[in-house]
Amino acid sequence: MAPGIIIGMVSALSVEITGLPELVGAYNGFGGLAASLEGIGLYLDPYAKDFVRGGDVVAEQTSPMLWVQAIALILSIIIGMITFTGSMVAVLKLHGTISSKPRVIPHRPLVSLVTLIAMIVFGTLAFTGGQDWNDRGLGIAFVIIVALLSSIYGIIAVMAIGGGDMPVSISFLNSLSGLSTR
C-alpha cells in the first residue's frame, strides 16, 4: 500500500465522528495545495510547451493551446490556494483555535475586487511582456504573487463566515478543490 493511503486510513480511524468535518477540511485543503504546487511546477516545466510521448518531443503546442493551458494553470493556482487557506481557517475555527465569530475586514467587497483584479493582472503578466513558460525570473515572481493573493483571499473569505456554517464552507471549498485539479 502507498504511504499516503496508510496515513489517510490511520488518521481517519483515529478521529472521532464529531471531528470528521475538520478531517475532511484538512484533506481538502491539502488537495488544493497540491493542485497549486502542480500548477507552479507546470509553469517551471521546460517541456510544458511541447507534446511529449515516451520522453520524446513529438510537436509544439499552438499558441491558442498554450493560452488555454496558461489559463487553466493560473486558475489551478488561484482555486487551489483559496481552497488551502480557506480550508485551514475553517479547520482552525471548527477546532476552536480561531474564534468561530465572523470577522469581516473593512471594505471587504472593494478589497475582494482589487484582489481579483490583481490576480488576473499578475496571472496575465506571467505569460506576457517577455515572460514565457519556464521563466524562472520575473515570470515565476508573478506566479508566486498570484499564489499569495489567492491565499489572502481564501483567509478573508472564510474568516467572514461564522463557525456554525463551517461544515457548509468546507463542502463548498471541497467542490472548489475538484475544479482546481485536472
Side-chain angles (χ1 to χ4, degrees), residues 43 67 70-71 73-74 117-133 135 137-146 149:
Y43 184 82
W67 272 109
I71 291 167
L73 180 147
I74 292 297
I117 291 169
M119 285 187 278
I120 292 169
V121 167
F122 286 111
T124 304
L125 286 173
F127 296 96
T128 59
Q131 285 71 251
D132 200 4
W133 293 91
D135 180 354
L138 195 54
I140 193 63
F142 291 142
V143 169
I144 299 300
I145 290 170
V146 169
L149 289 170

